[in-house]
């Protein structure tokens, strides 16, 4: 189980003692005491994940089972479609899909993963939002579903080109899984839920394991010389290079999926003219954005120099104008590229690739260009 530390202020995951024993530098994150880096440092951890395999503790995330009272998983899927703009009914058994909870204004309450485990749905939600997400599900879906918080489970991510070979030593079925496959599997003899997915742009897996077995499983994976423990610092730089959103930064309650360049996640069946168009919170605004466009858009940004442009930096149309046209929501140095990368929002009219803008950094205007994302090509096993 997740526990509070002696101060009663920060919660600890089941892998806390392992992090400390490995030299993890612990910092507060989403209410948890989490490792920001280990002895190798962020740069080496980042590059090791890109070249071999990295092990991440993501036990602070929320895990929820959505069990249909009727016993039919399609009833749980139909119920969940009342809260998200995605086609949940079409998720086949053993598969998962990226989704968003939306609000009445079309903004994003949280983003999540939804898997079909055959007789129920398995959801993974963000740490900072998990209490609100569970309450949201209970308030809206309790008529048709049992909402089961799986607080007695840990979550481990194994990411990188050698993730498959590392996991295959403990789970014979791992090599047969494709990107976004998800379901129960035995890992090192333990009853786990395994998905072939992650948050780095690399091939990899996320493994839900009973909390009491988490340290044993993590140590078994770390016994492989290809696997290195990775902290929050490299997790952030990896997801940024992959062009993946961080909730509360790149997406939030005032951002629609279309503004966030997440149109790909909303299937045609839920759009105007689709078999089950609308019917989710904020549908009028979101579908209007699909049909007529949104006024702003999330874009990738590359700087012309080596100075990183970080979150909060204002974006301008030229070097002298007084009024900003946009803002950076994530930014930093991309170790794989040996160059700075960033994401932010700009007017849709200024969102074309190669458009030149200026970011204000320490009172100076730095030239930036709109760039295609992901910045580093993903390596998912499709």
């Amino acid at each position: 189980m997740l526990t509070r530390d002696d101060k009663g202020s920060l919660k600890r995951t089941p892998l806390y003692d392992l992090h400390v024993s490995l030299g993890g530098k612990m910092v507060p994150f989403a209410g948890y005491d989490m490792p920001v880096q280990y002895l190798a440092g962020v740069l080496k951890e980042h590059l090791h994940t890109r070249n071999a395999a990295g092990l991440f503790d993501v036990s602070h995330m929320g895990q929820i089972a959505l069990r249909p009272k009727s016993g039919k998983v399609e009833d749980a899927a139909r119920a969940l479609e009342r809260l998200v703009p995605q086609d949940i009914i079409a998720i086949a058994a053993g598969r998962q899909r990226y989704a968003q909870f939306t609000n009445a204004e079309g903004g994003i309450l949280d983003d999540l993963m939804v898997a079909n485990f055959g007789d129920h749905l398995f959801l993974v939600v963000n740490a900072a939002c998990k209490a609100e997400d569970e309450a949201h599900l209970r308030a809206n879906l309790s008529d048709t579903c049992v909402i089961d918080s799986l607080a007695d489970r840990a979550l481990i991510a194994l990411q990188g080109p050698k993730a498959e070979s590392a996991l295959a030593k403990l789970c014979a079925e791992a090599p047969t899984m494709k990107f976004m496959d998800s379901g129960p599997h035995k890992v090192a003899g333990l009853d786990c839920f395994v998905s072939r997915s992650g948050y780095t742009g690399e091939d990899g897996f996320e493994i839900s394991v009973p909390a009491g077995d988490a340290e044993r499983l993590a140590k078994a994976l770390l016994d492989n010389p290809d696997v290195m423990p990775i902290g929050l610092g490299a997790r952030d730089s990896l997801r940024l290079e992959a062009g993946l959103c961080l909730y509360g930064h790149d997406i939030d309650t005032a951002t629609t999926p279309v503004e966030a360049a997440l149109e790909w996640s909303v299937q045609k069946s839920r759009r105007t003219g689709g078999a089950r168009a609308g019917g989710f919170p904020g549908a009028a605004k979101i579908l209007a954005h699909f049909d007529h466009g949104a006024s702003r858009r999330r874009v990738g940004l590359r700087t012309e120099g080596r100075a990183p442009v970080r979150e909060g930096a204002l974006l301008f149309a030229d070097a002298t104008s007084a009024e900003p046209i946009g803002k950076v929501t994530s930014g930093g140095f991309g170790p794989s590229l040996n160059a700075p990368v960033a994401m932010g929002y700009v007017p849709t009219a200024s969102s074309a690739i190669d458009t030149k803008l200026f970011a204000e950094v320490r009172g100076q205007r730095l030239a930036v260009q709109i760039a295609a994302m992901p910045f580093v090509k993903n390596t998912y096993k499709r």
Side-chain angles (χ1 to χ4, degrees):
M1 296 284 288
L2 300 175
T3 59
R4 288 194 175 275
D5 67 6
D6 294 336
K7 298 177 183 177
S9 57
L10 293 175
K11 286 178 277 190
R12 294 175 174 177
T13 76
L15 295 180
Y16 175 85
D17 290 340
L18 180 60
H19 298 317
V20 173
S21 72
L22 294 171
K25 179 182 178 182
M26 309 303 289
V27 300
F29 181 79
Y32 289 81
D33 213 359
M34 298 290 288
V36 68
Q37 66 179 69
Y38 297 88
L39 299 177
V42 173
L43 178 64
K44 288 183 178 178
E45 291 173 24
H46 178 114
L47 295 175
H48 187 89
T49 304
R50 288 274 185 249
N51 294 312
L55 186 74
F56 303 75
D57 179 10
V58 286
S59 302
H60 57 311
M61 305 283 279
Q63 302 180 63
I64 301 170
L66 199 61
R67 307 184 192 277
K69 292 180 178 180
S70 68
K72 299 177 181 178
V73 72
E74 57 266 30
D75 288 339
R78 186 171 286 104
L80 186 57
E81 285 191 0
R82 306 200 308 248
L83 301 182
V84 304
Q86 281 71 34
D87 187 337
I88 306 301
I89 291 173
I91 304 174
R95 296 286 291 166
Q96 74 174 9
R97 174 164 286 170
Y98 173 70
Q100 306 96 33
F101 289 125
T102 53
N103 62 22
E105 294 74 41
I108 299 172
L109 294 171
D110 196 12
D111 58 343
L112 66 154
M113 301 299 294
V114 182
N116 180 347
F117 278 9
D119 61 353
H120 70 280
L121 300 179
F122 173 64
L123 281 55
V124 177
V125 301
N126 280 303
C129 304
K130 63 184 179 182
E132 291 84 354
D133 289 348
E134 183 181 335
H136 187 52
L137 290 165
R138 292 189 187 282
N140 291 281
L141 305 188
S142 290
D143 56 336
T144 56
C145 299
V146 174
I147 293 91
D148 187 7
S149 174
L150 305 179
D152 58 347
R153 301 190 72 86
L155 192 63
I156 296 170
L158 183 68
Q159 300 282 293
K162 296 186 178 180
E164 179 186 287
S165 61
L167 187 57
K169 297 179 186 301
L170 304 177
C171 178
E173 297 164 324
T176 68
M177 296 178 70
K178 303 293 187 186
F179 181 57
M180 297 298 258
D181 281 354
S182 183
H185 293 277
K186 289 281 188 180
V187 183
L190 303 170
D191 291 322
C192 296
F193 310 146
V194 182
S195 67
R196 193 154 197 165
S197 58
Y199 194 49
T200 63
E202 295 292 333
D203 181 27
F205 303 85
E206 293 190 332
I207 308 161
S208 171
V209 57
D213 297 315
E215 185 170 324
R216 178 157 71 93
L217 177 56
K219 285 181 174 178
L221 290 165
L222 289 169
D223 280 343
N224 188 318
D226 289 332
V227 182
M228 174 186 286
I230 311 296
L232 293 170
R235 184 171 180 256
D236 193 52
S237 57
L238 288 158
R239 71 92 193 168
L240 177 56
E241 286 185 345
L244 299 172
C245 294
L246 178 61
Y247 188 79
H249 299 256
D250 309 295
I251 50 176
D252 56 28
T253 56
T255 307
T256 72
V258 177
E259 290 173 321
L262 298 174
E263 295 99 326
W264 57 269
S265 72
V266 180
Q267 290 70 37
K268 289 182 178 179
S269 61
R270 306 303 309 279
R271 302 187 195 183
T272 302
R276 294 186 312 287
F280 50 86
K285 183 171 183 178
I286 292 170
L287 295 183
H289 279 184
F290 270 107
D291 296 340
H292 308 295
S295 62
R296 63 176 189 143
R297 186 165 184 81
R298 178 175 64 96
V299 296
L301 298 162
R302 295 289 299 268
T303 66
E304 294 185 0
R306 291 184 59 79
V309 177
R310 302 196 182 277
E311 178 180 353
L314 298 177
L315 297 169
F316 296 84
D318 54 54
T320 58
S321 58
E323 289 298 317
I325 63 168
K327 187 165 74 170
V328 172
T329 53
S330 287
F333 193 77
S336 307
L337 302 164
N338 194 31
V341 290
M343 294 191 292
Y345 283 83
V346 300
T348 301
S350 301
S351 66
I353 301 298
D354 294 332
T355 298
K356 187 173 181 178
L357 302 173
F358 288 82
E360 192 163 84
V361 179
R362 296 192 207 65
Q364 293 186 318
R365 300 278 173 97
L366 299 183
V368 298
Q369 275 191 322
I370 308 286
M373 292 188 290
F375 301 106
V376 174
K377 185 179 179 182
N378 66 53
T379 61
Y380 306 137
K381 183 177 178 181
R382 300 194 182 270

